[in-house]
Amino acid sequence: MITVLIRLLTLRAENVIPEVIWALMAIYVLAVLVTLTSVWVTFKKLEGRLLWSLIVLLVPFLGVIAHCLYCLTHADVDVLKQFGFFTRKTA
């Protein structure tokens, strides 16, 4: 497994091996599943859920990124403050 990770990080032509392709596909599938879960939890109306689900499923990569950006722009600031965003650092 360590050899596969080293090959992935070195960006050489021999990196196109089945293990790397399967790993990248697994990461993408997990990202889509997490995004769809977020869509179904975030939106109350069925129309919003279906619209965002179609965007995520039909527009590869960009649908996931678009929903992520939507969530970040419509996020509750108090929740983000708990994770260290929007806090002032004082010396």
Side-chain angles (χ1 to χ4, degrees):
M1 184 65 181
I2 209 91
T3 317
V4 172
L5 290 174
I6 290 171
R7 286 182 182 171
L8 177 64
L9 296 174
T10 55
L11 299 174
R12 291 185 292 180
E14 67 233 13
N15 292 341
V16 187
I17 58 174
E19 291 88 356
V20 171
I21 294 171
W22 281 108
L24 292 174
M25 285 182 7
I27 290 169
Y28 178 70
V29 168
L30 286 174
V32 169
L33 289 176
V34 167
T35 304
L36 289 175
T37 304
S38 173
V39 165
W40 284 92
V41 169
T42 302
F43 295 99
K44 304 282 188 242
K45 294 183 181 180
L46 184 62
E47 295 85 15
R49 289 178 179 178
L50 291 176
L51 177 68
W52 271 109
S53 296
L54 284 174
I55 291 171
V56 168
L57 292 174
L58 297 179
V59 185
F61 303 109
L62 294 178
V64 174
I65 293 169
H67 181 69
C68 180
L69 292 174
Y70 174 83
C71 288
L72 285 174
T73 57
H74 291 84
D76 185 11
V77 177
D78 294 332
V79 173
L80 292 175
K81 285 181 181 178
Q82 292 176 355
F83 292 105
F85 296 101
F86 304 116
T87 57
R88 293 186 180 186
K89 307 275 186 212
T90 56

